[in-house]
Amino acid sequence: MATRLLFLAFIGLTGFITYNALYLQEQRNGALLPTAGSQRVPLPDGPIHVANPPASAPKPVSVTTDLPPLRGQPAPQQLVTAIQRELAARGYASGTVNGKLSDETRKAIATFEKDRGLPITGSPSDELLRRILLGEAAPPAASTGSVAAANGAPRAKPNATAGSDSTIKQVQQILADLGYAPGPVDGTMGDETQRAVSAFQRDRKIAQNGRITPELLREIKRVTGRDLSATASRP
């Protein structure tokens, strides 16, 4: 009886030792993780490398512009056309000369303003055109709504006439520079010149009669800085 008990104890001890050896070997070769189906998946030996999460898509970069927003009333088409043409003649890429204020035209204006050390607006104006035509020597512009001459200069004489060939020729040249197509610059007040004068008067919101008047000469001075009253008043 004692021999049988001793044999059973030996068998039990041997089984316990074998079980512990197998369990420890399994732990050393790889830890077991539970799965959804109650199965265990062994982890590999060594460090576990976790894949980097996929990079998120880059956020779209908003396109910004350095040009300030346009203010006030839209510029007349004739004014925009003249600015486009004059900028293009000076090497600025102002786009198609069509009187439409495109982004390309605004960028050309801003580039011109930056080159001249002017406040960058990207907007067409009478003062801008005057600076393009006359360069840095252009005097400051008088306000468009005022009929007084700039810097307190005397007005054109009321009895001044625009009948001289010299005055007509100068007006024709200025209107041509502004894009009004007055015809040949020959000092003759023909139909084309009258239509150009009338169009200029309409755009500048002054009396529209197609004639070269003191009021017209004052408005030309505001736009270009050129005073034609002296030549108009000569006999």
Side-chain angles (χ1 to χ4, degrees):
M1 187 67 176
T3 302
R4 181 180 297 177
L5 292 174
L6 187 60
F7 176 76
L8 292 175
F10 176 78
I11 294 297
L13 181 60
T14 301
F16 177 77
I17 293 172
T18 303
Y19 172 80
N20 283 341
L22 292 175
Y23 178 78
L24 292 176
Q25 182 69 22
E26 184 181 73
Q27 287 291 326
R28 186 180 64 182
N29 290 338
L32 300 180
L33 293 177
T35 63
S38 72
Q39 296 180 351
R40 293 189 174 187
V41 179
L43 294 176
D45 293 334
I48 300 174
H49 299 280
V50 180
N52 294 328
S56 58
K59 295 181 179 179
V61 179
S62 58
V63 179
T64 59
T65 176
D66 294 334
L67 298 177
L70 294 171
R71 300 181 182 278
Q73 297 295 326
Q77 185 174 355
Q78 295 283 3
L79 176 62
V80 177
T81 300
I83 289 175
Q84 288 172 328
R85 185 183 60 252
E86 295 302 326
L87 287 176
R90 288 159 177 76
Y92 293 90
S94 58
T96 305
V97 181
N98 55 9
K100 297 180 180 179
L101 186 59
S102 63
D103 290 340
E104 194 172 4
T105 300
R106 293 202 66 200
K107 290 178 182 178
I109 292 173
T111 303
F112 174 85
E113 291 171 328
K114 182 178 180 181
D115 291 345
R116 297 298 185 277
L118 303 172
I120 297 178
T121 65
S123 303
S125 65
D126 295 333
E127 182 180 358
L128 172 69
L129 180 59
R130 182 172 57 255
R131 287 187 177 274
I132 295 173
L133 293 173
L134 303 180
E136 291 296 328
S143 59
T144 304
S146 172
V147 297
N151 300 326
R155 298 168 180 263
K157 296 180 180 180
N159 61 347
T161 63
S164 68
D165 293 347
S166 175
T167 301
I168 296 174
K169 185 178 292 188
Q170 291 183 73
V171 171
Q172 288 172 327
Q173 185 61 60
I174 290 173
L175 292 177
D177 291 339
L178 296 176
Y180 284 93
V185 181
D186 55 4
T188 302
M189 196 68 181
D191 292 339
E192 289 179 296
T193 300
Q194 291 181 20
R195 284 194 293 268
V197 169
S198 181
F200 178 83
Q201 291 170 326
R202 181 186 64 247
D203 290 343
R204 303 304 302 169
K205 296 180 174 58
I206 61 177
Q208 184 178 346
N209 52 27
R211 293 186 293 108
I212 299 178
T213 62
E215 185 181 22
L216 174 73
L217 298 181
R218 288 195 297 270
E219 196 65 28
I220 287 178
K221 182 177 180 180
R222 289 192 191 92
V223 173
T224 66
R226 297 179 60 180
D227 188 1
L228 305 184
S229 60
T231 58
S233 60
R234 291 174 186 170

Short mmCIF file of all heavy atoms in Angstrom, two decimals, residues 24-74:
data_model
loop_
_atom_site.label_atom_id
_atom_site.label_comp_id
_atom_site.label_asym_id
_atom_site.label_seq_id
_atom_site.Cartn_x
_atom_site.Cartn_y
_atom_site.Cartn_z
N LEU A 24 6.31 27.34 -18.85
CA LEU A 24 7.36 28.35 -18.83
C LEU A 24 8.01 28.49 -20.21
O LEU A 24 8.37 29.59 -20.64
CB LEU A 24 8.41 27.99 -17.78
CG LEU A 24 7.93 28.07 -16.32
CD1 LEU A 24 9.03 27.61 -15.38
CD2 LEU A 24 7.51 29.49 -15.97
N GLN A 25 8.19 27.34 -20.93
CA GLN A 25 8.75 27.40 -22.28
C GLN A 25 7.85 28.19 -23.21
O GLN A 25 8.31 28.97 -24.04
CB GLN A 25 8.95 25.97 -22.81
CG GLN A 25 9.57 25.91 -24.19
CD GLN A 25 11.01 26.36 -24.20
OE1 GLN A 25 11.67 26.33 -23.16
NE2 GLN A 25 11.50 26.82 -25.36
N GLU A 26 6.55 28.02 -23.05
CA GLU A 26 5.59 28.75 -23.88
C GLU A 26 5.62 30.24 -23.58
O GLU A 26 5.58 31.07 -24.48
CB GLU A 26 4.19 28.18 -23.64
CG GLU A 26 3.12 28.80 -24.53
CD GLU A 26 1.75 28.21 -24.22
OE1 GLU A 26 1.22 28.57 -23.16
OE2 GLU A 26 1.26 27.42 -25.01
N GLN A 27 5.77 30.61 -22.32
CA GLN A 27 5.86 32.01 -21.96
C GLN A 27 7.13 32.66 -22.50
O GLN A 27 7.13 33.81 -22.89
CB GLN A 27 5.82 32.14 -20.42
CG GLN A 27 4.45 31.88 -19.82
CD GLN A 27 3.47 32.98 -20.18
OE1 GLN A 27 3.87 34.13 -20.30
NE2 GLN A 27 2.21 32.63 -20.39
N ARG A 28 8.22 31.86 -22.50
CA ARG A 28 9.48 32.41 -22.98
C ARG A 28 9.47 32.61 -24.50
O ARG A 28 10.01 33.57 -25.03
CB ARG A 28 10.62 31.48 -22.59
CG ARG A 28 12.00 32.08 -22.93
CD ARG A 28 13.09 31.15 -22.53
NE ARG A 28 13.00 29.91 -23.32
CZ ARG A 28 13.82 28.86 -23.17
NH1 ARG A 28 14.76 28.89 -22.23
NH2 ARG A 28 13.68 27.77 -23.92
N ASN A 29 8.85 31.70 -25.26
CA ASN A 29 8.84 31.78 -26.72
C ASN A 29 7.87 32.86 -27.23
O ASN A 29 8.04 33.38 -28.29
CB ASN A 29 8.45 30.44 -27.34
CG ASN A 29 9.56 29.40 -27.15
OD1 ASN A 29 10.72 29.76 -26.94
ND2 ASN A 29 9.20 28.13 -27.21
N GLY A 30 6.89 33.18 -26.51
CA GLY A 30 5.95 34.21 -26.97
C GLY A 30 4.75 34.29 -26.08
O GLY A 30 4.19 33.26 -25.69
N ALA A 31 4.38 35.50 -25.72
CA ALA A 31 3.19 35.69 -24.89
C ALA A 31 1.97 35.42 -25.74
O ALA A 31 1.97 35.59 -26.96
CB ALA A 31 3.16 37.11 -24.34
N LEU A 32 0.92 35.02 -25.08
CA LEU A 32 -0.32 34.68 -25.76
C LEU A 32 -1.32 35.79 -25.53
O LEU A 32 -1.49 36.26 -24.42
CB LEU A 32 -0.87 33.34 -25.24
CG LEU A 32 0.06 32.13 -25.44
CD1 LEU A 32 -0.60 30.88 -24.88
CD2 LEU A 32 0.37 31.93 -26.89
N LEU A 33 -1.97 36.19 -26.60
CA LEU A 33 -3.01 37.22 -26.50
C LEU A 33 -4.36 36.60 -26.82
O LEU A 33 -4.47 35.83 -27.78
CB LEU A 33 -2.74 38.36 -27.48
CG LEU A 33 -1.50 39.20 -27.17
CD1 LEU A 33 -1.33 40.23 -28.26
CD2 LEU A 33 -1.64 39.86 -25.82
N PRO A 34 -5.38 36.96 -26.09
CA PRO A 34 -6.71 36.43 -26.40
C PRO A 34 -7.27 37.09 -27.64
O PRO A 34 -7.01 38.25 -27.91
CB PRO A 34 -7.53 36.79 -25.16
CG PRO A 34 -6.83 37.98 -24.59
CD PRO A 34 -5.38 37.79 -24.88
N THR A 35 -7.99 36.40 -28.43
CA THR A 35 -8.69 36.91 -29.61
C THR A 35 -10.16 36.79 -29.40
O THR A 35 -10.63 36.25 -28.39
CB THR A 35 -8.26 36.14 -30.87
OG1 THR A 35 -8.65 34.78 -30.71
CG2 THR A 35 -6.76 36.22 -31.08
N ALA A 36 -10.91 37.28 -30.40
CA ALA A 36 -12.37 37.26 -30.27
C ALA A 36 -12.90 35.85 -30.19
O ALA A 36 -13.95 35.60 -29.60
CB ALA A 36 -12.99 37.99 -31.46
N GLY A 37 -12.21 34.90 -30.80
CA GLY A 37 -12.69 33.51 -30.80
C GLY A 37 -12.08 32.68 -29.70
O GLY A 37 -12.01 31.46 -29.84
N SER A 38 -11.57 33.32 -28.67
CA SER A 38 -10.96 32.66 -27.51
C SER A 38 -9.68 31.94 -27.87
O SER A 38 -9.15 31.18 -27.08
CB SER A 38 -11.95 31.67 -26.87
OG SER A 38 -12.11 30.52 -27.68
N GLN A 39 -9.14 32.15 -29.09
CA GLN A 39 -7.86 31.59 -29.44
C GLN A 39 -6.77 32.57 -29.05
O GLN A 39 -7.00 33.75 -28.92
CB GLN A 39 -7.80 31.31 -30.96
CG GLN A 39 -8.80 30.26 -31.42
CD GLN A 39 -8.70 30.03 -32.91
OE1 GLN A 39 -8.02 30.78 -33.59
NE2 GLN A 39 -9.36 29.01 -33.39
N ARG A 40 -5.59 32.08 -28.93
CA ARG A 40 -4.47 32.91 -28.55
C ARG A 40 -3.50 33.00 -29.70
O ARG A 40 -3.17 32.00 -30.32
CB ARG A 40 -3.78 32.34 -27.31
CG ARG A 40 -4.65 32.40 -26.06
CD ARG A 40 -3.87 32.03 -24.84
NE ARG A 40 -4.67 32.22 -23.64
CZ ARG A 40 -4.21 32.09 -22.40
NH1 ARG A 40 -2.94 31.74 -22.22
NH2 ARG A 40 -4.99 32.28 -21.36
N VAL A 41 -3.04 34.23 -29.94
CA VAL A 41 -2.09 34.46 -31.02
C VAL A 41 -0.76 34.85 -30.39
O VAL A 41 -0.69 35.83 -29.64
CB VAL A 41 -2.58 35.58 -31.96
CG1 VAL A 41 -1.56 35.83 -33.06
CG2 VAL A 41 -3.93 35.21 -32.52
N PRO A 42 0.31 34.12 -30.62
CA PRO A 42 1.60 34.45 -29.99
C PRO A 42 2.20 35.71 -30.61
O PRO A 42 2.09 35.95 -31.80
CB PRO A 42 2.46 33.23 -30.30
CG PRO A 42 1.86 32.66 -31.54
CD PRO A 42 0.40 32.90 -31.45
N LEU A 43 2.80 36.53 -29.78
CA LEU A 43 3.50 37.72 -30.24
C LEU A 43 4.92 37.34 -30.62
O LEU A 43 5.53 36.47 -29.99
CB LEU A 43 3.53 38.79 -29.16
CG LEU A 43 2.18 39.40 -28.79
CD1 LEU A 43 2.36 40.36 -27.64
CD2 LEU A 43 1.57 40.09 -29.98
N PRO A 44 5.51 37.96 -31.63
CA PRO A 44 6.88 37.62 -32.02
C PRO A 44 7.88 38.09 -30.97
O PRO A 44 7.61 39.00 -30.18
CB PRO A 44 7.05 38.38 -33.33
CG PRO A 44 6.10 39.52 -33.24
CD PRO A 44 4.92 38.99 -32.47
N ASP A 45 9.04 37.44 -31.02
CA ASP A 45 10.12 37.85 -30.12
C ASP A 45 10.67 39.21 -30.55
O ASP A 45 10.60 39.61 -31.70
CB ASP A 45 11.26 36.83 -30.16
CG ASP A 45 10.80 35.50 -29.54
OD1 ASP A 45 9.88 35.55 -28.71
OD2 ASP A 45 11.36 34.46 -29.92
N GLY A 46 11.31 39.90 -29.64
CA GLY A 46 11.94 41.17 -29.95
C GLY A 46 10.96 42.32 -29.87
O GLY A 46 9.79 42.15 -29.53
N PRO A 47 11.46 43.53 -30.18
CA PRO A 47 10.60 44.72 -30.08
C PRO A 47 9.48 44.69 -31.11
O PRO A 47 9.64 44.17 -32.21
CB PRO A 47 11.57 45.88 -30.33
CG PRO A 47 12.68 45.27 -31.13
CD PRO A 47 12.82 43.86 -30.64
N ILE A 48 8.37 45.25 -30.73
CA ILE A 48 7.21 45.32 -31.61
C ILE A 48 7.19 46.67 -32.29
O ILE A 48 7.22 47.71 -31.65
CB ILE A 48 5.91 45.10 -30.81
CG1 ILE A 48 5.94 43.73 -30.12
CG2 ILE A 48 4.69 45.22 -31.71
CD1 ILE A 48 4.77 43.50 -29.21
N HIS A 49 7.21 46.68 -33.62
CA HIS A 49 7.19 47.93 -34.38
C HIS A 49 5.76 48.24 -34.79
O HIS A 49 5.11 47.45 -35.47
CB HIS A 49 8.07 47.80 -35.63
CG HIS A 49 9.51 47.52 -35.31
ND1 HIS A 49 10.38 48.50 -34.92
CD2 HIS A 49 10.22 46.35 -35.31
CE1 HIS A 49 11.58 47.98 -34.71
NE2 HIS A 49 11.50 46.67 -34.94
N VAL A 50 5.31 49.38 -34.37
CA VAL A 50 3.96 49.82 -34.72
C VAL A 50 4.05 50.74 -35.93
O VAL A 50 4.81 51.70 -35.94
CB VAL A 50 3.29 50.57 -33.54
CG1 VAL A 50 1.89 51.02 -33.92
CG2 VAL A 50 3.26 49.67 -32.32
N ALA A 51 3.28 50.43 -36.97
CA ALA A 51 3.31 51.24 -38.19
C ALA A 51 2.81 52.64 -37.91
O ALA A 51 1.87 52.84 -37.13
CB ALA A 51 2.45 50.59 -39.27
N ASN A 52 3.46 53.61 -38.52
CA ASN A 52 3.03 55.00 -38.35
C ASN A 52 1.64 55.19 -38.95
O ASN A 52 1.35 54.65 -40.02
CB ASN A 52 4.01 55.95 -39.04
CG ASN A 52 5.36 55.95 -38.37
OD1 ASN A 52 5.45 55.75 -37.16
ND2 ASN A 52 6.41 56.18 -39.16
N PRO A 53 0.78 55.94 -38.29
CA PRO A 53 -0.55 56.18 -38.86
C PRO A 53 -0.43 56.96 -40.16
O PRO A 53 0.51 57.73 -40.34
CB PRO A 53 -1.26 57.01 -37.77
CG PRO A 53 -0.15 57.64 -36.99
CD PRO A 53 0.98 56.65 -37.02
N PRO A 54 -1.35 56.74 -41.08
CA PRO A 54 -1.26 57.47 -42.36
C PRO A 54 -1.34 58.97 -42.14
O PRO A 54 -2.12 59.46 -41.34
CB PRO A 54 -2.48 56.96 -43.14
CG PRO A 54 -3.41 56.43 -42.09
CD PRO A 54 -2.54 55.89 -41.00
N ALA A 55 -0.46 59.66 -42.84
CA ALA A 55 -0.43 61.12 -42.70
C ALA A 55 -1.73 61.71 -43.22
O ALA A 55 -2.26 61.30 -44.26
CB ALA A 55 0.75 61.70 -43.48
N SER A 56 -2.24 62.67 -42.49
CA SER A 56 -3.48 63.31 -42.93
C SER A 56 -3.21 64.15 -44.16
O SER A 56 -2.11 64.65 -44.37
CB SER A 56 -4.04 64.19 -41.81
OG SER A 56 -3.09 65.16 -41.43
N ALA A 57 -4.21 64.28 -44.99
CA ALA A 57 -4.07 65.06 -46.23
C ALA A 57 -3.75 66.51 -45.88
O ALA A 57 -4.32 67.07 -44.94
CB ALA A 57 -5.34 64.99 -47.05
N PRO A 58 -2.82 67.12 -46.58
CA PRO A 58 -2.49 68.52 -46.27
C PRO A 58 -3.67 69.44 -46.49
O PRO A 58 -4.44 69.28 -47.42
CB PRO A 58 -1.34 68.84 -47.25
CG PRO A 58 -1.53 67.85 -48.37
CD PRO A 58 -2.09 66.62 -47.74
N LYS A 59 -3.78 70.38 -45.60
CA LYS A 59 -4.88 71.33 -45.72
C LYS A 59 -4.62 72.26 -46.91
O LYS A 59 -3.49 72.65 -47.17
CB LYS A 59 -4.99 72.18 -44.45
CG LYS A 59 -5.38 71.36 -43.23
CD LYS A 59 -5.51 72.26 -42.01
CE LYS A 59 -5.91 71.45 -40.78
NZ LYS A 59 -6.03 72.32 -39.59
N PRO A 60 -5.66 72.58 -47.70
CA PRO A 60 -5.44 73.48 -48.84
C PRO A 60 -4.99 74.84 -48.37
O PRO A 60 -5.51 75.38 -47.40
CB PRO A 60 -6.83 73.56 -49.51
CG PRO A 60 -7.78 73.17 -48.43
CD PRO A 60 -7.05 72.19 -47.55
N VAL A 61 -3.99 75.37 -49.05
CA VAL A 61 -3.47 76.68 -48.71
C VAL A 61 -4.31 77.74 -49.42
O VAL A 61 -4.45 77.70 -50.64
CB VAL A 61 -1.99 76.81 -49.13
CG1 VAL A 61 -1.46 78.19 -48.78
CG2 VAL A 61 -1.16 75.73 -48.45
N SER A 62 -4.86 78.61 -48.66
CA SER A 62 -5.70 79.65 -49.26
C SER A 62 -4.83 80.61 -50.04
O SER A 62 -3.76 81.03 -49.59
CB SER A 62 -6.48 80.41 -48.17
OG SER A 62 -5.57 80.99 -47.26
N VAL A 63 -5.29 80.95 -51.24
CA VAL A 63 -4.56 81.88 -52.10
C VAL A 63 -4.88 83.30 -51.66
O VAL A 63 -6.03 83.71 -51.62
CB VAL A 63 -4.95 81.68 -53.57
CG1 VAL A 63 -4.19 82.66 -54.46
CG2 VAL A 63 -4.65 80.25 -53.99
N THR A 64 -3.85 84.03 -51.29
CA THR A 64 -4.06 85.40 -50.85
C THR A 64 -3.43 86.35 -51.84
O THR A 64 -2.58 85.99 -52.64
CB THR A 64 -3.43 85.62 -49.46
OG1 THR A 64 -2.02 85.32 -49.54
CG2 THR A 64 -4.07 84.71 -48.43
N THR A 65 -3.86 87.55 -51.81
CA THR A 65 -3.30 88.58 -52.69
C THR A 65 -2.94 89.78 -51.85
O THR A 65 -3.57 90.07 -50.84
CB THR A 65 -4.33 89.00 -53.77
OG1 THR A 65 -3.76 90.05 -54.54
CG2 THR A 65 -5.64 89.45 -53.16
N ASP A 66 -1.88 90.48 -52.29
CA ASP A 66 -1.45 91.67 -51.58
C ASP A 66 -2.24 92.90 -51.99
O ASP A 66 -2.03 93.97 -51.45
CB ASP A 66 0.05 91.92 -51.85
CG ASP A 66 0.91 90.81 -51.27
OD1 ASP A 66 0.48 90.19 -50.29
OD2 ASP A 66 2.02 90.57 -51.79
N LEU A 67 -3.11 92.75 -52.97
CA LEU A 67 -3.85 93.90 -53.46
C LEU A 67 -5.01 94.21 -52.53
O LEU A 67 -5.79 93.33 -52.17
CB LEU A 67 -4.38 93.62 -54.87
CG LEU A 67 -3.32 93.37 -55.94
CD1 LEU A 67 -3.99 93.04 -57.27
CD2 LEU A 67 -2.41 94.57 -56.08
N PRO A 68 -5.14 95.46 -52.13
CA PRO A 68 -6.28 95.83 -51.29
C PRO A 68 -7.56 95.80 -52.10
O PRO A 68 -7.54 95.86 -53.33
CB PRO A 68 -5.93 97.25 -50.83
CG PRO A 68 -5.03 97.78 -51.90
CD PRO A 68 -4.24 96.60 -52.40
N PRO A 69 -8.70 95.71 -51.45
CA PRO A 69 -9.96 95.70 -52.20
C PRO A 69 -10.22 97.03 -52.89
O PRO A 69 -9.76 98.09 -52.45
CB PRO A 69 -11.01 95.43 -51.10
CG PRO A 69 -10.37 95.88 -49.83
CD PRO A 69 -8.91 95.61 -50.00
N LEU A 70 -10.95 96.95 -54.00
CA LEU A 70 -11.31 98.16 -54.73
C LEU A 70 -12.33 98.96 -53.94
O LEU A 70 -13.21 98.40 -53.29
CB LEU A 70 -11.88 97.80 -56.10
CG LEU A 70 -10.91 97.15 -57.09
CD1 LEU A 70 -11.67 96.65 -58.32
CD2 LEU A 70 -9.83 98.14 -57.51
N ARG A 71 -12.22 100.26 -54.02
CA ARG A 71 -13.14 101.14 -53.31
C ARG A 71 -13.74 102.14 -54.28
O ARG A 71 -13.14 102.49 -55.29
CB ARG A 71 -12.42 101.88 -52.17
CG ARG A 71 -11.81 100.95 -51.13
CD ARG A 71 -11.13 101.73 -50.01
NE ARG A 71 -10.50 100.84 -49.04
CZ ARG A 71 -11.13 100.24 -48.05
NH1 ARG A 71 -12.43 100.44 -47.89
NH2 ARG A 71 -10.48 99.45 -47.22
N GLY A 72 -14.92 102.61 -53.92
CA GLY A 72 -15.55 103.64 -54.73
C GLY A 72 -16.18 103.08 -55.99
O GLY A 72 -16.35 101.87 -56.16
N GLN A 73 -16.53 104.00 -56.89
CA GLN A 73 -17.18 103.62 -58.13
C GLN A 73 -16.18 103.01 -59.10
O GLN A 73 -15.00 103.33 -59.08
CB GLN A 73 -17.82 104.87 -58.76
CG GLN A 73 -18.92 105.49 -57.91
CD GLN A 73 -20.12 104.56 -57.75
OE1 GLN A 73 -20.45 103.80 -58.66
NE2 GLN A 73 -20.75 104.60 -56.60
N PRO A 74 -16.63 102.10 -59.98
CA PRO A 74 -15.72 101.53 -60.98
C PRO A 74 -15.17 102.62 -61.89
O PRO A 74 -15.85 103.58 -62.23
CB PRO A 74 -16.63 100.56 -61.75
CG PRO A 74 -17.77 100.26 -60.83
CD PRO A 74 -17.99 101.50 -60.03
#
